[in-house]
Amino acid sequence: DIVKEVVYTPWWTNSSGQGLESVGIKSHGFVFMTSMMAVNDTWQSTLDEMVKDVRDIAHGGGVKLNNLVACLLNTPRNMSRLLRGYLVRALPADSTPAITVVEIGGEYEFTPTSLFCRAALDPEPGTLPRRIIEIDSSAGMVRGVAANGLLHIQGVTGHTGGIINETLHALDTIQSIITKSGGGNLRDSLVDCTAFLKNITDSGLFRATMKKHAAPAITIAQAGSIDKMRHLTLQCVAAIPTRAGEKPGDMMLTRTERFTATDKLVFASAQLGKNQDGTDSFQKLQAVLQEAGTELSKVVECLFFLPDNKKVSSLFGGFYEVFNKANPPPPTREELESVLEGGGQVSAKCIAALMPKSPEHSQSLISI
C-alpha cells in the first residue's frame, strides 16, 4: 500500500515540477490530481485539452480515464449545463466519474474553468471492484462511484423550498445511493461533504441541519448551480465496505468536529483564515492533522477557496513555504474564487494520508 508517491507526466517531470505543487499523488488506492486548466478557441477544444492532461496524470499514476471516480468542473455563470455536456463528450465512453459542476470563479480571471479529478487504482485481490451506483431522484439521475472503500457521490441538489428542505432532500438522496452501494446510515458513513451554497448567508442553517443527521468533515463555499432554482449543491464522499460480506459497522472511522478519518485517509474540514497567504489556515490544519495522527508532509490534496483570485499569488507563496520547503512533497491542489464564511480570506480543505498500522505494511514509503 502506497502512503504518498508523487506522479509525473511527460510535461511535468521531476525537474520541471520543482517549486510547484505535485501534479499527481498516489495514496492508499487513489490518484489525486491537481486541477487542469486550458483556454482554447472553443469550449469543446478547451475541455478536450483538459481531459488529455488528466489522462496524462492518470497514466503517470498507472491508471486510465476509466479509473476516474470523481471530477469537479467549475464554470462561468450560466455555462454549467453547456460545459458539462462538453466534458462528457471529451471523456471516453467507458469513463464515468461522478461529475459535479458549479458556477464559481477559477484560479485566474483568464482561466474561467478547470477540471479537478481523482482516480482509483485497481482494486487489491479479494476486494470489491470499482462499480457505478446510480439512482433516479427528483432532480435527475445521481451517480456515485464506489472504489477501494470510498463512494464518491456527484453534487446533489434537493427540492426547492429553502436551504433546510433542500439539505434534507439532498441527504435523503445521498442515503439512498449509500444504501444501494452496501453502505450504512449517513452518520456512520459520510466522511466528507462540500456544500456549494447559492448564498453564503445560508451556511448557519445548513450546518445546523447537517449536524442533526450526519457528522462528516464540512467545507462551505458560495457557488451557482446548474439548476438556478436550487440553493445547494452537496458533493460528498462516504466510507463503504471494501470486501464482500463486510458490514458497514465493521468500518473503523474516527470523528471529531474538525475531521473524519478512515483507517487510511484523514478528511479535514475546511480551515478558515484571515491571512491572504493562508499561513493561519495551515497552522490550524497542522493542529487538526496532529490530532488525527498524521502531519502536513502527508497531505495529498488541497482545495482552496479565496474571495479574490487576483490575490492567489499570495496563497501560492504561503503554500510554497509550508509544503514545498517545510513539509515536502507538496500536495495536489485546486484554487477557486468564492465568498467565504465570516469574511475569511482563505479556506483550506485538505486530505492527508495515514501511515499503515499493520506490521506487514511497515515498509511503506513516501516517494518523491
Side-chain angles (χ1 to χ4, degrees):
D1 191 16
I2 296 170
V3 176
K4 184 177 181 182
E5 180 180 296
V6 177
V7 169
Y8 298 102
T9 70
W11 41 266
W12 196 282
T13 64
N14 196 347
S15 58
S16 69
Q18 292 300 306
L20 300 166
E21 73 274 13
S22 297
V23 75
I25 296 283
K26 289 170 68 172
S27 180
H28 291 314
F30 294 92
V31 180
F32 299 89
M33 306 180 186
T34 283
S35 66
M36 293 293 102
M37 299 173 288
V39 180
N40 290 332
D41 292 339
T42 67
W43 285 116
Q44 185 65 70
S45 63
T46 295
L47 269 296
D48 288 344
E49 182 175 342
M50 291 194 291
V51 168
K52 289 177 182 177
D53 290 342
V54 169
R55 177 202 61 194
D56 289 345
I57 302 171
H59 287 178
V63 296
K64 300 178 180 179
L65 287 176
N66 61 8
N67 292 83
L68 290 178
V69 294
C71 288
L72 173 64
L73 177 69
N74 70 288
T75 78
R77 185 177 299 179
N78 299 323
M79 296 290 290
S80 53
R81 194 175 301 277
L82 178 68
L83 294 195
R84 187 188 191 284
Y86 288 142
L87 173 58
V88 171
R89 293 189 194 101
L91 290 167
D94 62 349
S95 181
T96 53
I99 298 173
T100 299
V101 185
V102 290
E103 297 179 355
I104 190 172
E107 181 176 325
Y108 303 106
E109 287 184 290
F110 58 87
T111 54
T113 187
S114 58
L115 186 61
F116 191 41
C117 295
R118 294 178 197 160
L121 298 174
D122 290 336
E124 295 180 358
T127 62
L128 293 169
R130 178 186 181 276
R131 54 205 189 278
I132 307 300
I133 315 295
E134 292 182 326
I135 63 168
D136 192 5
S137 75
S138 61
M141 190 65 68
V142 176
R143 175 179 296 164
V145 181
N148 299 333
L150 293 179
L151 175 67
H152 288 79
I153 305 168
Q154 73 175 70
V156 175
T157 59
H159 290 304
T160 57
I163 189 62
I164 294 176
N165 287 336
E166 288 189 31
T167 302
L168 292 173
H169 184 253
L171 288 175
D172 284 345
T173 300
I174 291 168
Q175 177 64 79
S176 296
I177 204 162
I178 292 174
T179 301
K180 190 173 181 179
S181 73
N185 61 47
L186 290 173
R187 192 166 293 279
D188 292 339
S189 300
L190 283 183
V191 296
D192 185 52
C193 287
T194 302
F196 295 97
L197 302 181
K198 185 177 182 178
N199 298 304
I200 199 70
T201 53
D202 284 333
S203 61
L205 286 174
F206 169 78
R207 286 187 182 276
T209 305
M210 284 290 292
K211 191 174 183 179
K212 294 178 181 178
H213 302 275
I218 289 179
T219 298
I220 297 177
Q222 181 169 291
S225 170
I226 285 182
D227 189 332
K228 306 305 179 207
M229 299 296 293
R230 313 293 182 180
H231 292 77
L232 167 70
T233 300
L234 187 59
Q235 179 191 37
C236 294
V237 179
I240 57 173
T242 59
R243 298 176 183 274
E246 186 178 7
K247 298 179 181 179
D250 297 334
M251 296 181 297
M252 300 292 291
L253 299 181
T254 303
R255 297 185 186 277
T256 73
E257 291 185 355
R258 302 195 296 175
F259 72 86
T260 299
T262 68
D263 60 341
K264 296 183 177 182
L265 295 169
V266 176
F267 297 82
S269 294
Q271 301 301 304
L272 287 168
K274 298 292 187 181
N275 297 343
Q276 292 177 0
D277 64 0
T279 50
D280 52 343
S281 294
F282 297 139
Q283 289 173 352
K284 294 178 181 179
L285 175 63
Q286 182 178 32
V288 171
L289 297 182
Q290 287 176 344
E291 182 183 357
T294 187
E295 57 191 25
L296 289 172
S297 67
K298 306 295 195 307
V299 175
V300 297
E301 177 190 284
C302 285
L303 171 57
F304 298 107
F305 297 97
L306 63 165
D308 186 355
N309 59 12
K310 298 185 188 69
K311 299 175 181 177
V312 73
S313 60
S314 295
L315 175 60
F316 291 162
F319 180 96
Y320 178 82
E321 291 295 325
V322 170
F323 289 110
N324 295 72
K325 291 179 67 174
N327 299 280
T332 61
R333 70 187 191 193
E334 162 77 301
E335 297 81 24
L336 297 174
E337 185 181 52
S338 169
V339 177
L340 302 178
E341 296 176 277
Q345 293 301 304
V346 171
S347 171
K349 164 188 162 38
C350 299
I351 302 171
L354 287 165
M355 293 296 289
K357 298 177 182 179
S358 55
E360 61 268 29
H361 289 137
S362 61
Q363 298 302 311
S364 295
L365 300 174
I366 295 179
S367 303
I368 302 175

